[in-house]
Amino acid sequence: MIRAMIVINNQGKPRLSKFYNYTPVEQQQQLIRSIYSVLCLQPENVSNFIEGGSIWVRQKTYFSDSRLVYKLFATLYFVFVFDSSENELAMFDLIQVYVETLEKCFSNVCELDIVLNYSKIHTILDEMILGGQVVETNSEKVMQAVEEISKLEKVTAATKLISKSTSVLWG
Amino acid sequence: MALSGMRGLSVFISEIRNCQNKEQERLRVDKELGNIRNRFKNEKGLAPYEKKKYVWKMLYIFMLGYDVDFGHMEAVSLISAPKYPEKQVGYLVTSCLLNENHDFLRLAINTVRNDIIGRNETFQCLALTLVGNIGGREFAESLAPDVQKLLISSSCRPLVKKKAALCLLRLFRKNPDVVNVDGWSNRMAQLLDERNLGVLTSSMSLFVSLVSNNHEAYWSCLPKCVKVLERLARNQDVPQEYTYYGIPSPWLQVKTMRALQYFPTIEDPNTRRALFEVLQRVLMGTDVVKNVNKNNASHAVLFEALALVMHLDAEKEMMSQCVALLGKFIAVREPNIRYLGLENMTRMLMVTDVQEIIKRHQAQIITSLKDPDISIRRRALDLLYAMCDVSNAKDIVEELLQYLGTAEFTMREELALKAAILAEKFAPDLSWYMDVILQLIDKAGDFVSDDIWFRVVQFVTNNEDLQPYAALKAREYLDKPAIHETMMKVSAYLLGEYSHLLARRPGCSPKEIFGIIHEKLPTVSTPTVSILLSSYAKILMHSQPPDPELQNQIWAIFNKYETSIDAEIQQRAVEYFALSKKGAALIDILAEMPKFPERESSLIKRAGDTEADTAELSAIKSRAQQQASNALVVTDQQPANHPPQVTQLAMVKIPSINEENNHVDQEVTQTNGSMGEGEPQNGDILGDLLSPLAIEGPPGVSGTETLSEDGALALAPVGEQENAVKPIVDIAEIFHALCIKDSGVLYEDPYVQIGIKAEWRGHQGRLVLFLGNKTTSSLDSVQAVFLSPSHLKLELSSVPEVIPPRAQVQCPLEVVNLCPSRDVAVLDFSYKFGTNLVDNKLRLPAVLNKFFQPITLSAEEFFPQWRSLAAPPLKLQEVVRGVRPMSLGEMANLLNSLKLIVSPGLDPNANNLVASTTFYSESTRSMLCLVRIETDPADRTQLRMTVASGDPTLTFELKEFIKEQLISIPSASRPAVHQQPQPTTQPISLSDPGALLAGLL
């Protein structure tokens, strides 16, 4: 399963983090910091995989049975942490899908879009990954769902309950 | 645009972004949290929109790393909101903030269930997402049947269905005993017939989870999986949107192949043939293309296909095809493919007999050992280790030895272990094995665990042919000017046992052998001294006819050590002395060691234990050791009630510096867990003979890295305040750390390292300063003077004026605490290097809390004392402001680390801490101290502190002391990441990310 999805900027500031096993906030921060400190030392032109064993928190490796895959887009690192039941390159592709979806959503997506649309990028992630498993890999479908949610929000501003007919659009 | 239309949230995020530093950010966050808390308190006036906005802010604050310990109820309550936007945020935030056992979740179960079984698909999706993300037991108990129903319902739409599948998967994974999947094979078969690829991907994930749990029940689904693969491989009926860069859903292909790997084999010939056709198509049809994304996707499928082929144990022909492909991969430019290529080759070696074909790629694999990417180097090492056999052992071990010189510290121990194992397993002749191990110890002694040299001794003992050669080699290494302590141990042992076999060679008479060993005695640590004494006894026994001069020399040494403080050394000295007086009878008692019973090598056993991922495990170990043994400080082998009294200036040898590079050997890895409990291992046999044998931790020494500075600081004027020689450690930080720890490095610069080790008993302390000269020339005019405050009596034994090259001098220091005071003693340490006078004033970590003895009090003991110390000056109270905000737990840890032991539950108010300790000084004797801290949960920066003791000065000093600790940032309460990296003794080498990391933090 996917254990976590993290977006960190190149200054080490987290922009999005979601852990699929409950992790206390303090530990999340330590992990993010530790991951960042490994990421920012990665030389160019090396593989996008990092052994989970190199992520240290309190003298312990936290992800020793896992691997990390990361991709740097402009100022942002997109990181997935996953265990051995996932295919490495498929996870790598998933980053691409996520970013392509963001791209469709914001056209020319930049860090600021992600910062200021915090709630939206969460929604997109939830449409792609559920409980650590890939739920949708098709960025069109993800976009559809997200747009529906936006519409719904607008509609419900006026009406009280959602009618069955709106959700038909989801298919 | 509600999703992005929360102005308040955007404004807040912008403000956070504009904060110049962490402190400002914290203030802004605290302000916002206070605001949210207030708003939630008067919930009545809160519109749902506002509530939503605040909950989003909470999530953002949570992501920034601040604990949000309130408002959970509000988040959960939003789940029940009738309107979509509120409900959505309620679900989303709840899944981020709460863990599966949180009480509030119980409150939401009914709403969640109603949403799941309700008719509103949007709500169904939200509820399924929450349950899938959290997956708690209570959810499983009350919701799993509903989710299952939803999944097989024919009226359920794809969007809901795929979420239901994953939701069920999560519930099943976390609570397999609660979720009933009996009879699900038929349903699963139906689900695998699904045409919608989105639903099929989720169903396949669910299937993988069910099959991995019990494949027997799902044989009937196997052909369906093959059908799915066929459909995708032929690109039949795959909608455009499910092709990713032209490849039909790579995720589904990968998942399906993964599922097939959970079946032990495929027996049905038709299914097998169909599957192999698909696999063949994947293996043959994957080309390297320009588009990176397409390449990745197609290789994802390809690597999974390779794994499946290996699993199915295909025909030899297909296997060699796979190896050929992998051989191509490990040479490509794309590092990801190289990495996976090496990994899959290793995997392939484990399942099938393809060693010979893989050997053809040996040269390329060895090149990968020099890859700039550490992940790839690790894989290459694993692969070389796996592919090694008699035919290529010499080459591979040679490469590993060479690599050892430049490898990262984190990899060295593993490298050393693997080289040792390969040398033992595949040695073409024994002398080669001997050569390899001695080279290993010579090059990377710090990383050679005890098992490795124990094993050498066993080997030599059991192989008579090897004995003269081993003795000769050991003799040769002793000629080197600086040798590693481990080398000293092996050499002394081997020469003690077998040097008589060399007797006729020049320079190998007993007297000469004794001389060359004894020369090193002043430089070795205590356990090694024991081994040397045994060697002397053996040499004495072997020198026939007896040489009276040698005898007298050795007797004199035994005599000297009869009064050794170390019990082991003392016992050996006394016994050997008595035995050696027995003359000829000595030969019976000290005869050669008998052969060891043949056993499995403990090394190989250990490697087996760690096979899962040796790199990680050894890394864990080395970090743990680094933490446990603080650089310079010699680990204490004695029971705690037997403090070492260093009565003479013992010189402790400093490990050899690796000449090939400027990296410096890391500190010694300590007895590498080989002496674990359980069945006896080979190591134990020797361990008994040579005990106590834990290798001590001599200092890591920085090598020539700073030599370039020499010129620059040549003529620093004497007495100039600002030293040209800068410490290479953060002295203030170290001091803070040492206030809590009892041993560690106190100071280090390019030439000198000062370690400290302390033992405290009541109002007295016994410290040892370890002055280490890191350079190859001696340090002159060494002076250590204490500027001691009036409350401490300090007695430092004489410090030698000269520290010889690469030597370490121990200076014992006695401390007596006369009366309570927060003042700190200062050590004025100066030395001359060349023409440079270096002068440093270092604070001595003999601070107030060192004279505490922890004590825990019950309520019956505490309160009478508390009441009896009723008023000032015995009991003082103060409101402290500007406290570094920390959680109550952190504060309790801080107090505990200062030996102010917190008694939880004594104070009925959970926001308060009560702590107690006993203080010792000559004037006060033992004195009970009581502390109470009342914190304000709304404002962590202030608190009220009450301190009581039977002595007014003590009360005042203690109050001030605690205040200082709370206001400053003592290192103990910092996040662990700060402390985690290597000890400061280690120079930062650019090739070691761990070390660089340490530097950064």
Side-chain angles (χ1 to χ4, degrees):
Chain A
M1 72 178 277
I2 298 167
R3 296 183 61 177
M5 157 34 149
I6 298 162
V7 180
I8 321 176
N9 78 356
N10 54 6
Q11 313 279 312
K13 280 223 186 312
R15 291 306 182 201
L16 170 67
S17 68
K18 185 132 185 167
F19 289 75
Y20 290 97
N21 284 324
Y22 179 77
T23 315
V25 59
E26 198 188 332
Q27 195 170 26
Q28 288 193 12
Q29 289 310 305
Q30 287 167 348
L31 284 169
I32 290 172
R33 233 172 303 162
S34 177
I35 289 171
Y36 171 70
S37 55
V38 173
L39 284 178
C40 65
L41 292 176
Q42 284 289 101
E44 267 181 46
N45 219 350
V46 297
S47 66
N48 296 74
F49 303 112
I50 293 173
E51 319 261 319
S54 40
I55 306 301
W56 290 91
V57 168
R58 288 186 194 277
Q59 276 82 32
K60 279 196 225 121
T61 47
Y62 186 75
F63 288 134
S64 52
D65 56 342
S66 304
R67 261 176 227 191
L68 282 77
V69 60
Y70 72 94
K71 204 166 181 182
L72 177 64
F73 288 91
T75 54
L76 293 173
Y77 289 101
F78 290 76
V79 186
F80 276 105
V81 186
F82 55 95
D83 65 16
S84 60
S85 69
E86 301 289 340
N87 177 298
E88 293 87 352
L89 283 173
M91 287 297 109
F92 192 50
D93 290 338
L94 203 59
I95 296 183
Q96 182 69 23
V97 174
Y98 185 67
V99 174
E100 280 178 16
T101 312
L102 292 180
E103 182 69 31
K104 279 181 186 143
C105 210
F106 299 110
S107 66
N108 256 333
V109 62
C110 65
E111 188 176 340
L112 203 62
D113 290 324
I114 289 178
V115 174
L116 294 178
N117 295 284
Y118 183 60
S119 54
K120 195 161 193 165
I121 60 168
H122 252 289
T123 313
I124 296 174
L125 185 64
D126 269 359
E127 287 302 319
M128 279 181 61
I129 298 171
L130 196 167
Q133 299 288 333
V134 178
V135 66
E136 184 57 74
T137 56
N138 174 343
S139 62
E140 300 285 339
K141 278 259 155 68
V142 175
M143 276 304 294
Q144 269 176 26
V146 173
E147 271 161 23
E148 282 309 320
I149 291 174
S150 309
K151 262 189 218 157
L152 266 178
E153 295 203 319
K154 265 191 267 179
V155 171
T156 43
T159 61
K160 275 197 173 163
L161 282 168
I162 309 155
S163 63
K164 173 99 174 157
S165 61
T166 3
S167 52
V168 171
L169 292 167
W170 286 47
Chain B
M1 280 312 288
L3 261 180
S4 50
M6 275 172 288
R7 230 185 86 75
L9 178 63
S10 302
V11 169
F12 172 63
I13 292 175
S14 312
E15 283 180 26
I16 289 284
R17 266 171 58 80
N18 289 338
C19 287
Q20 300 291 321
N21 52 41
K22 197 76 193 162
E23 209 36 53
Q24 277 186 15
E25 181 186 297
R26 182 185 297 279
L27 286 174
R28 182 66 190 88
V29 165
D30 283 345
K31 188 177 146 203
E32 192 63 41
L33 285 177
N35 180 27
I36 298 175
R37 199 193 304 262
N38 278 337
R39 299 306 292 261
F40 281 164
K41 262 185 200 154
N42 329 312
E43 205 187 311
K44 282 206 181 103
L46 207 60
Y49 165 78
E50 282 183 285
K51 212 180 196 179
K52 179 179 96 171
K53 184 177 73 183
Y54 292 131
V55 173
W56 269 119
K57 285 184 182 175
M58 277 164 49
L59 184 60
Y60 191 79
I61 290 170
F62 178 77
M63 185 199 64
L64 290 175
Y66 300 90
D67 204 2
V68 181
D69 53 2
F70 66 95
H72 295 169
M73 191 62 204
E74 282 74 10
V76 173
S77 72
L78 278 176
I79 291 178
S80 324
K83 284 190 189 168
Y84 180 79
E86 282 92 47
K87 204 182 211 20
Q88 194 234 359
V89 67
Y91 269 121
L92 205 149
V93 175
T94 302
S95 75
C96 287
L97 290 183
L98 302 190
N99 77 12
E100 59 179 84
N101 300 318
H102 204 290
D103 286 341
F104 289 165
L105 282 182
R106 211 167 293 149
L107 305 174
I109 283 189
N110 261 333
T111 319
V112 174
R113 176 151 194 268
N114 286 335
D115 283 340
I116 287 179
I117 59 175
R119 299 219 150 184
N120 187 318
E121 293 184 348
T122 331
F123 290 3
Q124 282 179 324
C125 286
L126 289 177
L128 290 171
T129 306
L130 172 82
V131 176
N133 279 337
I134 291 184
R137 189 169 188 86
E138 283 185 47
F139 276 156
E141 279 165 358
S142 44
L143 301 176
D146 295 320
V147 178
Q148 284 171 318
K149 232 178 268 166
L150 206 54
L151 182 56
I152 49 174
S153 137
S154 56
S155 63
C156 177
R157 290 183 176 274
L159 184 91
V160 179
K161 209 171 215 171
K162 63 188 183 188
K163 294 198 170 165
L166 293 183
C167 180
L168 182 61
L169 185 167
R170 190 69 194 276
L171 291 178
F172 176 69
R173 261 223 188 127
K174 288 201 114 173
N175 319 279
D177 52 323
V178 175
V179 180
N180 182 4
V181 289
D182 295 342
W184 260 70
S185 58
N186 289 335
R187 286 170 186 164
M188 209 57 241
Q190 273 171 33
L191 286 169
L192 294 179
D193 280 335
E194 174 71 50
R195 302 311 287 172
N196 181 307
L197 291 185
V199 178
L200 193 53
T201 308
S202 297
S203 304
M204 196 58 84
S205 297
L206 175 61
F207 182 61
V208 168
S209 168
L210 294 174
V211 175
S212 66
N213 192 51
N214 170 20
H215 68 267
E216 287 293 341
Y218 295 93
W219 280 110
S220 60
C221 297
L222 200 149
K224 306 246 176 196
C225 293
V226 178
K227 284 246 158 57
V228 171
L229 276 182
E230 281 186 292
R231 175 180 163 198
L232 294 172
R234 301 207 175 109
N235 206 346
Q236 287 168 337
D237 186 22
V238 178
Q240 177 57 34
E241 71 259 29
Y242 277 102
T243 54
Y244 175 80
Y245 290 93
I247 295 155
S249 185
W251 291 274
L252 181 53
Q253 294 199 47
V254 163
K255 271 277 175 255
T256 313
M257 291 187 197
R258 206 32 87 94
L260 289 171
Q261 290 170 52
Y262 285 103
F263 292 97
T265 175
I266 297 177
E267 269 150 18
D268 175 50
N270 288 331
T271 314
R272 192 175 165 93
R273 193 173 341 108
L275 178 60
F276 272 105
E277 247 179 63
V278 172
L279 291 175
Q280 189 69 38
R281 191 189 283 256
V282 174
L283 293 186
M284 299 300 294
T286 308
D287 296 319
V288 178
V289 291
K290 259 198 172 162
N291 185 312
V292 185
N293 294 319
K294 178 169 184 168
N295 233 356
N296 283 333
S298 62
H299 281 83
V301 177
L302 179 57
F303 276 114
E304 207 58 55
L306 280 168
L308 185 54
V309 170
M310 284 184 248
H311 172 75
L312 293 174
D313 223 354
E315 301 81 61
K316 188 100 187 175
E317 195 186 328
M318 198 160 188
M319 284 296 193
S320 20
Q321 198 184 341
C322 291
V323 178
L325 266 176
L326 290 173
K328 213 169 79 187
F329 292 159
I330 62 172
V332 297
R333 261 190 38 205
E334 172 68 32
N336 289 334
I337 310 283
R338 280 208 304 274
Y339 171 86
L340 293 170
L342 288 167
E343 186 181 27
N344 280 283
M345 261 196 187
T346 315
R347 234 185 257 167
M348 193 155 225
L349 272 171
M350 288 175 186
V351 290
T352 52
D353 181 27
V354 285
Q355 196 137 0
E356 289 309 314
I357 330 177
I358 287 185
K359 270 193 208 162
R360 287 180 213 152
H361 303 285
Q362 189 171 318
Q364 182 61 42
I365 300 168
I366 286 174
T367 317
S368 305
L369 205 51
K370 293 158 191 136
D371 199 282
D373 186 345
I374 183 171
S375 300
I376 291 180
R377 289 197 298 272
R378 283 225 160 97
R379 293 290 143 243
L381 174 61
D382 284 349
L383 179 53
L384 283 173
Y385 178 69
M387 69 188 281
C388 192
D389 63 13
V390 185
S391 73
N392 55 11
K394 266 192 165 172
D395 295 338
I396 290 183
V397 171
E398 186 55 39
E399 284 297 334
L400 296 188
L401 281 177
Q402 223 178 62
Y403 177 42
L404 197 55
T406 51
E408 279 84 1
F409 293 128
T410 48
M411 279 182 79
R412 285 193 186 181
E413 189 195 342
E414 188 193 351
L415 256 172
L417 180 65
K418 287 194 162 159
I421 292 174
L422 293 179
E424 176 182 333
K425 251 172 139 178
F426 302 116
D429 54 81
L430 292 171
S431 55
W432 178 77
Y433 167 74
M434 194 70 214
D435 287 345
V436 169
I437 302 294
L438 290 179
Q439 267 189 61
L440 207 60
I441 298 175
D442 188 39
K443 281 191 169 178
D446 286 351
F447 298 90
V448 174
S449 58
D450 275 351
D451 335 11
I452 294 181
W453 83 264
F454 289 177
R455 189 70 185 155
V456 175
V457 169
Q458 286 176 37
F459 242 91
V460 177
T461 312
N462 288 9
N463 292 286
E464 272 167 43
D465 302 345
L466 191 56
Q467 289 163 0
Y469 184 75
L472 187 67
K473 274 283 164 185
R475 171 75 184 76
E476 279 171 17
Y477 273 104
L478 281 185
D479 278 337
K480 285 194 155 198
I483 64 172
H484 192 270
E485 178 121 2
T486 307
M487 182 66 89
M488 196 58 225
K489 291 179 184 174
V490 196
S491 308
Y493 185 91
L494 292 176
L495 287 174
E497 288 289 329
Y498 307 115
S499 63
H500 58 283
L501 302 173
L502 303 177
R504 260 171 269 137
R505 291 171 189 267
C508 293
S509 69
K511 208 170 161 183
E512 283 162 308
I513 298 275
F514 164 75
I516 196 157
I517 297 179
H518 190 56
E519 212 172 78
K520 316 271 183 191
L521 184 116
T523 63
V524 299
S525 60
T526 327
T528 312
V529 171
S530 321
I531 298 177
L532 296 196
L533 292 184
S534 304
S535 298
Y536 299 164
K538 294 251 172 181
I539 290 172
L540 194 59
M541 183 258 305
H542 280 304
S543 60
Q544 296 298 343
D547 172 349
E549 194 188 332
L550 179 66
Q551 203 169 31
N552 286 337
Q553 252 177 314
I554 293 180
W555 280 351
I557 295 164
F558 289 158
N559 267 329
K560 177 178 159 202
Y561 282 102
E562 273 176 357
T563 54
S564 168
I565 185 70
D566 184 279
E568 178 69 25
I569 294 179
Q570 186 184 31
Q571 185 175 358
R572 287 193 193 209
V574 171
E575 287 177 8
Y576 292 150
F577 184 67
L579 285 172
S580 59
K581 295 272 189 197
K582 287 192 186 296
L586 180 67
I587 297 176
D588 295 334
I589 300 161
L590 287 179
E592 221 165 84
M593 291 297 294
K595 287 189 176 174
F596 289 91
E598 281 300 331
R599 292 195 191 192
E600 190 196 352
S601 161
S602 67
L603 292 185
I604 292 172
K605 218 155 143 192
R606 201 177 118 199
D609 293 345
T610 57
E611 196 140 83
D613 210 335
T614 332
E616 267 77 88
L617 279 169
S618 66
I620 293 171
K621 240 185 279 154
S622 70
R623 296 279 169 130
Q625 284 147 8
Q626 281 161 19
Q627 197 212 6
S629 66
N630 273 299
L632 255 176
V633 177
V634 175
T635 47
D636 193 356
Q637 301 298 335
Q638 291 141 350
N641 54 3
H642 207 286
Q645 280 171 319
V646 188
T647 47
Q648 71 213 70
L649 290 180
M651 308 259 270
V652 175
K653 190 195 141 282
I654 291 178
S656 60
I657 290 178
N658 196 329
E659 304 292 346
E660 281 177 23
N661 54 21
N662 292 347
H663 298 178
V664 166
D665 295 345
Q666 210 178 13
E667 16 168 351
V668 155
T669 49
Q670 293 207 277
T671 45
N672 274 302
S674 55
M675 309 298 180
E677 61 278 18
E679 49 186 321
Q681 300 175 355
N682 281 334
D684 287 342
I685 304 175
L686 261 184
D688 293 342
L689 292 172
L690 303 171
S691 68
L693 254 190
I695 299 184
E696 301 192 340
V701 174
S702 77
T704 45
E705 49 163 357
T706 46
L707 286 186
S708 56
E709 283 177 30
D710 286 6
L713 42 88
L715 284 169
V718 175
E720 191 177 341
Q721 260 327 77
E722 202 186 279
N723 285 328
V725 178
K726 292 271 185 291
I728 56 176
V729 291
D730 184 344
I731 294 178
E733 195 175 317
I734 283 185
F735 172 73
H736 277 299
L738 283 174
C739 288
I740 289 161
K741 295 189 302 177
D742 277 336
S743 59
V745 175
L746 181 66
Y747 170 81
E748 182 170 13
D749 66 25
Y751 311 119
V752 167
Q753 187 190 49
I754 304 180
I756 189 163
K757 182 176 156 111
E759 282 210 18
W760 305 96
R761 181 140 318 134
H763 66 288
Q764 290 176 324
R766 186 170 285 136
L767 287 79
V768 182
L769 294 175
F770 297 80
L771 310 176
N773 177 356
K774 305 187 342 187
T775 66
T776 47
S777 44
S778 50
L779 298 180
D780 301 326
S781 314
V782 178
Q783 273 194 333
V785 182
F786 275 103
L787 316 170
S788 107
S790 57
H791 73 288
L792 290 180
K793 198 167 91 194
L794 297 172
E795 261 183 52
L796 180 66
S797 73
S798 67
V799 176
E801 223 180 67
V802 178
I803 307 180
R806 292 204 191 149
Q808 192 192 59
V809 175
Q810 301 185 0
C811 305
L813 165 70
E814 305 276 343
V815 179
V816 179
N817 189 23
L818 303 173
C819 60
S821 166
R822 281 170 299 131
D823 293 349
V824 180
V826 171
L827 168 68
D828 188 352
F829 178 76
S830 60
Y831 65 90
K832 227 176 180 167
F833 181 78
T835 51
N836 261 309
L837 184 76
V838 185
D839 187 353
N840 271 291
K841 301 207 170 31
L842 306 166
R843 283 180 289 172
L844 186 73
V847 285
L848 193 69
N849 62 307
K850 297 288 184 188
F851 303 99
F852 288 161
Q853 288 274 314
I855 181 168
T856 26
L857 296 181
S858 66
E860 294 79 9
E861 295 164 296
F862 184 89
F863 287 111
Q865 294 280 355
W866 184 254
R867 276 189 292 271
S868 71
L869 304 164
L874 295 184
K875 189 190 238 166
L876 296 172
Q877 191 168 70
E878 186 179 342
V879 174
V880 184
R881 294 208 166 73
V883 173
R884 191 178 72 85
M886 53 181 127
S887 74
L888 219 56
E890 280 172 335
M891 193 178 290
N893 285 342
L894 172 64
L895 291 176
N896 282 331
S897 70
L898 298 168
K899 293 194 247 176
L900 286 157
I901 302 304
V902 174
S903 308
L906 268 192
D907 197 313
N909 184 340
N911 286 312
N912 297 350
L913 291 174
V914 169
S916 53
T917 194
T918 322
F919 174 80
Y920 288 84
S921 75
E922 218 167 37
S923 69
T924 60
R925 298 286 158 196
S926 78
M927 186 71 80
L928 189 66
C929 306
L930 307 172
V931 180
R932 179 172 185 231
I933 292 176
E934 297 155 87
T935 65
D936 177 5
D939 183 357
R940 288 249 164 83
T941 61
Q942 64 172 9
L943 49 79
R944 190 167 73 168
M945 181 165 73
T946 317
V947 178
S949 81
D951 180 73
T953 329
L954 175 58
T955 305
F956 177 78
E957 292 292 337
L958 178 59
K959 188 194 75 183
E960 293 303 309
F961 177 76
I962 299 176
K963 206 163 86 185
E964 283 169 10
Q965 299 295 320
L966 291 173
I967 292 172
S968 75
I969 307 178
S971 54
S973 58
R974 286 184 201 178
V977 183
H978 287 249
Q979 298 172 358
Q980 154 208 338
Q982 288 86 341
T984 38
T985 42
Q986 222 177 301
I988 292 167
S989 70
L990 282 169
S991 57
D992 181 5
L996 266 181
L997 175 74
L1000 275 176
L1001 291 169

